[in-house]
Amino acid sequence: MSPYFKHVKEAWQRRHHPNMLFLFYEELSKDLAAVVRRVATFLEKDINEEQIEKLCDHLNIENFKKNKSVNLEEVTKLANGNLSFIRKGQVGNWKEYFDEEMTQQAERWMADNLRDTDLTFEQINT
């Protein structure tokens, strides 16, 4: 979890290694089935369309939010009881929480931390 950029940049440097698969959440949001196929290929697993469909249903954000294994229910109960670890699953949803100053601050933070790399995060309008 931390330090975020150190971990991300280290992985990005190894993105061409045969044992590294680098994915972006935006890819999942655009075409989950394509990402499932890509992961299956990476893992050298044969997968049919029915399995892809089942996986996509299982990984659908609404079903994912209901999965007690990933939603950290016990932790969120301690915090407030009404929180969910998994939020909306919408690319760019952070904009609903940031004002202009916070947005500029986050963009500077990203630019500063990615200055020495060719890694970019896709900007998708929501």
Side-chain angles (χ1 to χ4, degrees):
M1 294 177 75
S2 186
Y4 175 75
F5 278 109
K6 181 179 179 189
H7 295 309
V8 171
K9 290 192 298 187
E10 182 180 339
W12 186 249
Q13 289 175 340
R14 291 170 174 77
R15 70 189 177 278
H16 300 298
H17 189 282
N19 292 334
M20 173 66 75
L21 179 63
F22 209 97
L23 301 172
F24 291 91
Y25 186 78
E26 291 79 1
E27 294 175 276
L28 299 167
S29 178
K30 276 185 178 178
D31 191 348
L32 181 56
V35 175
V36 168
R37 287 184 192 91
R38 189 170 156 209
V39 170
T41 299
F42 175 76
L43 296 173
E44 299 178 349
K45 297 292 182 184
D46 291 326
I47 189 167
N48 62 41
E49 289 304 312
E50 182 182 346
Q51 292 168 315
I52 291 169
E53 190 176 316
K54 285 181 181 180
L55 275 168
C56 287
D57 182 59
H58 178 72
L59 296 172
N60 173 286
I61 191 66
E62 293 307 315
N63 292 331
F64 197 69
K65 285 197 284 190
K66 296 173 192 172
N67 186 332
K68 292 179 182 183
S69 297
V70 296
N71 206 14
L72 301 178
E73 283 187 2
E74 296 304 315
V75 174
T76 57
K77 282 179 189 175
L78 294 173
N80 180 327
N82 296 323
L83 297 175
S84 175
F85 180 73
I86 306 298
R87 296 185 316 138
K88 293 181 182 180
Q90 296 174 342
V91 173
N93 183 248
W94 60 272
K95 293 175 186 177
E96 292 184 23
Y97 301 92
F98 281 31
D99 61 24
E100 185 58 34
E101 181 181 344
M102 293 168 72
T103 298
Q104 290 176 5
Q105 187 178 26
E107 288 173 354
R108 280 192 305 272
W109 179 68
M110 296 279 290
D112 289 347
N113 282 285
L114 295 175
R115 183 178 297 121
D116 59 344
T117 180
D118 64 343
L119 174 62
T120 59
F121 290 90
E122 183 178 353
Q123 297 296 312
I124 297 177
N125 294 326
T126 56

